[in-house]
Amino acid sequence: MRLINRTPGRLTATALGVLPFLILLLIYGLASQQRLAENPNDKLLPGLEQMTAAVDRMAFQEDRRSGDYLMWVDSLASLERLGMGVGVAALMALVVGLANGVLPLVRANLAPLVSALSMVPPLAILPILFIVFGLGELSKVMLIVIGTAPIMMRDVAQRVRELPTEQLIKIQTLGANSWQVVTRMALPQVLPRLIDAVRLSLGPAWLFLIAAEAIASTEGLGYRIFLVRRYLAMDVILPYVIWITVLAIVIDQCLRLTNRKLFPWYNAGGH
């Protein structure tokens, strides 16, 4: 049988998926053990015991200065910023994407601007955002919006334009006006695609959030990572990176399950 036609079973696929993680953990464990054997005070590759102690200190013990549980305070602050930024970006993408996809006049007017904005490196305009919006929450949220909204707008608009022309002809034949075309034909079919676009934008959104927090913030996951780096506190940095990854995976899976639950017809089509 050709390799291209060999499909692994569920158990085999799970084992193959877990294998790279186990290999990485093994390599890290061996390297950490070797470095700590040579220098017990080595900070570059902390052992499991050191990282467990750091997590206990950051997540389950009150900070002596503020009295807060720092890891949870940082997580809440970052998730609030991420939620606001991605939420606003998704709403803008839905409105502008639908308009660009359905209305030729709007597309002629806004599509070039959206395309141009999607090419602007968001981190390059971070100083401008700090100057215009200050160092507060708004500049961080705006960075996420500017970094993710244009891409999602283009994705939604493309999805609308891919809808069968027969649907557009039929709904107009039945007497639908432009508003009804948008709300009754395009919108229901675009919503699941929008959720997929949000899922794809989570990675860049986290990147922009952490960059903004690292430069100007007093709490947040990115802020904490860049704060402790001056002490080479890898026992804090690595668990924080793993925690960010876990949060991103949980959010992604929640969106995937939401999409599957609300739009079973979309997922049945192989999306």
Side-chain angles (χ1 to χ4, degrees), residues 57-58 61-70:
R57 184 176 70 254
M58 300 297 292
Q61 297 181 21
E62 292 185 358
D63 180 60
R64 294 179 181 178
R65 179 177 300 178
S66 64
D68 295 326
Y69 296 92
L70 295 180

Side-chain angles (χ1 to χ4, degrees), residues 189-207:
Q189 299 185 74
V190 162
L191 285 176
R193 179 63 183 181
L194 176 64
I195 295 178
D196 280 348
V198 171
R199 290 178 62 194
L200 293 173
S201 299
L202 284 177
W206 274 106
L207 171 64

Side-chain angles (χ1 to χ4, degrees), residues 53-61 69-72 224 236 240:
V55 170
D56 180 68
R57 184 176 70 254
M58 300 297 292
F60 303 108
Q61 297 181 21
Y69 296 92
L70 295 180
M71 192 169 184
W72 305 119
R224 195 68 55 189
V236 175
Y240 260 63

Side-chain angles (χ1 to χ4, degrees), residues 78-79 82 202-211 221 244 247-248 251:
S78 292
L79 288 174
L82 184 74
L202 284 177
W206 274 106
L207 171 64
F208 304 142
L209 172 64
I210 291 171
L221 296 170
I244 290 172
L247 289 175
I251 295 171

Side-chain angles (χ1 to χ4, degrees), residues 153-171:
M153 289 176 187
R154 296 183 66 181
D155 193 49
V156 171
Q158 182 62 34
R159 172 59 183 165
V160 174
R161 297 184 66 183
E162 289 174 356
L163 295 177
T165 306
E166 294 81 0
Q167 292 184 8
L168 181 60
I169 295 173
K170 288 179 181 179
I171 194 171

Side-chain angles (χ1 to χ4, degrees), residues 225-244:
I225 288 174
F226 279 81
L227 177 67
V228 301
R229 72 181 173 86
R230 66 185 68 176
Y231 311 113
L232 300 178
M234 293 292 287
D235 57 334
V236 175
I237 294 174
L238 289 178
Y240 260 63
V241 172
I242 294 172
W243 178 236
I244 290 172

